Amino acid sequence: MRFPEPVRMSDDHASPVWARTKRRSGGGGGGFVGLLVTLLALFGVLTAVLGIKEQSLAKGGALMDGWITAGVTSAKGLVGKAPEAAEGAADKAGAAAEKTGDALQAGAATTAEELKKQ
């Protein structure tokens, strides 16, 4: 019995052509677009919830503006302190490296002395 073209099954699949799911290619853009859509949806829900809570979209927006302003201000403060913090961390790392080197040197000297005794 011959089947029409849409009903015919291929040799490596046991399901009809119309029942097979298409595999997505592993492109990098799909994940980014999904993340962007999710973030925009969350932003929309947050806007709606704050609008209901404050009984005005303008008041809810002003509340979100306050949050954003506080975040930007704290980020600017952290960025201004970054060079000083990096310099302090580098100094501490240098001091730790010196101590480690001294300890290794002392350990090597002790080991050499013990080997000479044997």
Side-chain angles (χ1 to χ4, degrees), residues 43-82:
F43 182 74
V45 168
L46 179 64
T47 303
V49 168
L50 286 176
I52 292 169
K53 180 182 171 260
E54 297 293 323
Q55 298 179 351
S56 168
L57 285 176
K59 290 179 184 176
L63 186 62
M64 281 196 303
D65 285 342
W67 293 345
I68 292 170
T69 303
V72 168
T73 302
S74 65
K76 284 182 180 178
L78 291 175
V79 168
K81 294 178 183 177

Side-chain angles (χ1 to χ4, degrees), residues 5-6 12 18-19 22 24 26 30-31 37 42 48 50 56 60 78 94 107 116:
E5 189 65 31
D12 60 343
W18 67 84
K22 296 193 182 239
R24 293 185 178 189
V37 168
L42 288 174
L50 286 176
S56 168
L78 291 175
K116 287 180 185 177

Side-chain angles (χ1 to χ4, degrees), residues 5-10 13-21:
E5 189 65 31
V7 179
R8 189 174 297 147
M9 296 180 212
S10 66
H13 295 289
S15 62
V17 173
W18 67 84
R20 289 186 216 137
T21 58

Side-chain angles (χ1 to χ4, degrees), residues 110-118:
T110 305
T111 304
E113 288 176 14
E114 288 181 13
L115 287 174
K116 287 180 185 177
K117 292 178 184 178
Q118 292 179 357

